[in-house]
Amino acid sequence: ASNNYIRLVEVGPRDGLQNEKKSIARETKIELITRLAKAGLTTVEAGSFVSPKWVPQMDGSSEIMKHLLGQRIPTATPLTYSFLAPNVKGLENAKTILEEQAGSYLTQAETLAGTDKTGRPAVELAVFAAATESFSQKNLNCDIATSLERFAPVIQGAKNMGLRARAYISVVLGCPFEGYDVDPHKVAEIATSLLEMGADEISLGDTTGMGTAPRTQELLRCMAAAGIRNEDIAMHFHDTYGQALVNTAISLEHGIRTFDSSIGGLGGCPYSPGATGNVATENMVYFLESLGMDTGVSLDAVADIGEWITKEIGKPNDAAVGKAVLGA
Ligand code: HMG
Ligand code: MG
């Protein structure tokens, strides 16, 4: 990858859809994931191994994983499908499919070696912590310390299977229950624990979209002061307050090169009342390319996908760039 390469992690099929009340057909989800991969997104978050009582829309993630592992999409770089797993139960559910499908996916070592010619995808599992106690209780039904104890075997289990492990930290720039009172040092401390457990990457979630430029800068400085490397950080901005691209610019200046985004600007966490979608993939691609950065993603293709999926689920297309490109 060139120096100007920015890795976009497409979270639409998970973060974008998890909050939808009406059940979305599995075929639609698979078509969405497949089209995103073909558009050049090398990492696509495809589902969640969470309790179906808590997030009914993500029920069926096993079948989606199974389908994706059987599919071969010709891409320039190996594809990675990411799935959330908050506890050992989630890990075991993923493991069942992965063992059944042994040999049909790339391990992290094989992905890094880059010599595979079979077009097999790779798999990543992601745990999700919170920066505040109240959000941890609402999202995970336990306190932060307990959540970290539960993540350790999930991360270890993923690594033992040769998978990449990601770890989110939510509400890093504002909490629906504790407001702006989120301590960046606490975020750095949680990130350090997760990295020590073996996580390959920390995704810092501005779940509520309350983040501003100065606060983003303060958080990233605090991460650096704690010895956390930029290459171990991804930023995950929700655009509720319209600040996501500004905060992206600040993060780029700081040296961050991985960003999460969601097709059509879909998204929202069921346990973050009022929070809207993630920054739209379409807006990110346009913005990053205007800076001379390379995302490897086709703007025309994502504009079409955003228009299609928002129509399909009956939501407005929240991607300003997508609508402009299509003249809609
Ligand atoms: P709990 O109720 O405390 O769990 O929930 P439990 O261990 O007591 O188990 C209760 C029941 O759930 C049992 O079933 C378990 O088997 C089942 P029962 O005996 O009652 O029939 N269960 C599971 N089923 C399937 N998969 C599992 C699983 N675990 C237990 N993995 C739990 C604890 C963590 C399970 C629950 O709180 C949960 O599922 N939370 C998920 C919340 C969620 O998915 N939130 C959205 C994703 S995070 C997000 O959106 C933020 C992010 O985008 C970044 C950002 O923007 O900040 C990532
Ligand atoms: Mg999110």
Side-chain angles (χ1 to χ4, degrees):
S2 77
N3 252 351
N4 285 340
Y5 181 71
I6 300 293
R7 186 166 69 98
L8 288 180
V9 175
E10 171 61 47
V11 298
R14 194 278 307 169
D15 207 344
L17 302 184
Q18 68 183 7
N19 221 7
E20 288 305 309
K21 296 286 166 287
K22 222 176 77 210
S23 170
I24 300 161
R26 192 174 305 153
E27 296 69 37
T28 306
K29 293 177 182 171
I30 289 171
E31 184 177 348
L32 175 62
I33 295 162
T34 305
R35 286 182 67 171
L36 290 163
K38 287 182 178 164
L41 288 146
T42 57
T43 308
V44 182
E45 205 171 51
S48 282
F49 291 95
V50 295
S51 162
K53 286 182 196 137
W54 284 62
V55 187
Q57 188 64 256
M58 290 292 108
D59 198 13
S61 289
S62 296
E63 287 76 12
I64 288 178
M65 179 188 258
K66 203 163 166 169
H67 183 97
L68 294 174
L69 294 183
Q71 191 169 266
R72 298 288 171 267
I73 302 172
T75 50
T77 42
L79 268 171
T80 299
Y81 295 118
S82 193
F83 292 84
L84 300 190
N87 54 19
V88 165
K89 169 111 187 165
L91 170 76
E92 292 298 332
N93 289 346
K95 201 169 172 178
T96 302
I97 310 298
L98 292 165
E99 283 176 351
E100 265 174 37
Q101 309 284 314
S104 70
Y105 61 93
L106 290 175
T107 63
Q108 189 178 18
E110 288 169 321
T111 310
L112 291 172
T115 51
D116 186 77
K117 297 281 181 273
T118 61
R120 290 175 296 163
V123 175
E124 172 185 83
L125 295 182
V127 299
F128 46 102
T132 67
E133 292 294 351
S134 25
F135 196 79
S136 184
Q137 285 296 345
K138 284 281 195 303
N139 203 32
L140 290 159
N141 204 25
C142 65
D143 62 23
I144 296 171
T146 307
S147 77
L148 294 176
E149 276 167 34
R150 290 178 186 169
F151 296 151
V154 179
I155 293 173
Q156 249 337 291
K159 303 303 295 180
N160 291 344
M161 280 190 284
L163 311 180
R164 197 168 185 275
R166 171 176 243 227
Y168 284 98
I169 306 176
S170 285
V171 299
V172 297
L173 291 167
C175 171
F177 315 107
E178 296 180 31
Y180 288 104
D181 198 11
V182 181
D183 180 4
H185 297 96
K186 178 78 183 170
V187 177
E189 188 187 303
I190 297 170
T192 302
S193 307
L194 291 163
L195 288 167
E196 280 168 359
M197 288 175 199
D200 291 289
E201 176 175 74
I202 305 293
S203 176
L204 297 175
D206 182 14
T207 321
T208 59
M210 288 159 76
T212 58
R215 289 166 54 76
T216 300
Q217 192 165 47
E218 184 197 9
L219 173 65
L220 287 172
R221 283 190 179 147
C222 198
M223 297 289 283
I228 299 167
R229 307 177 308 165
N230 282 337
E231 53 263 50
D232 294 335
I233 300 175
M235 297 306 286
H236 177 107
F237 291 117
H238 283 257
D239 207 21
T240 313
Y241 288 73
Q243 302 300 301
L245 288 185
V246 176
N247 296 337
T248 299
I250 295 289
S251 309
L252 283 168
E253 219 165 77
H254 188 86
I256 304 297
R257 291 293 176 266
T258 303
F259 294 89
D260 301 355
S261 66
S262 174
I263 193 74
L266 291 172
C269 177
Y271 302 100
S272 182
T276 64
N278 296 73
V279 62
T281 304
E282 299 89 315
N283 295 3
M284 282 294 268
V285 171
Y286 181 78
F287 174 57
L288 292 166
E289 308 239 315
S290 79
L291 297 173
M293 302 290 194
D294 169 26
T295 62
V297 177
S298 159
L299 181 57
D300 288 336
V302 287
D304 283 338
I305 301 167
E307 188 60 21
W308 164 73
I309 190 61
T310 51
K311 276 223 173 71
E312 192 73 25
I313 66 175
K315 293 276 284 228
N317 184 349
D318 278 336
V321 169
K323 286 188 290 187
V325 166
L326 296 169

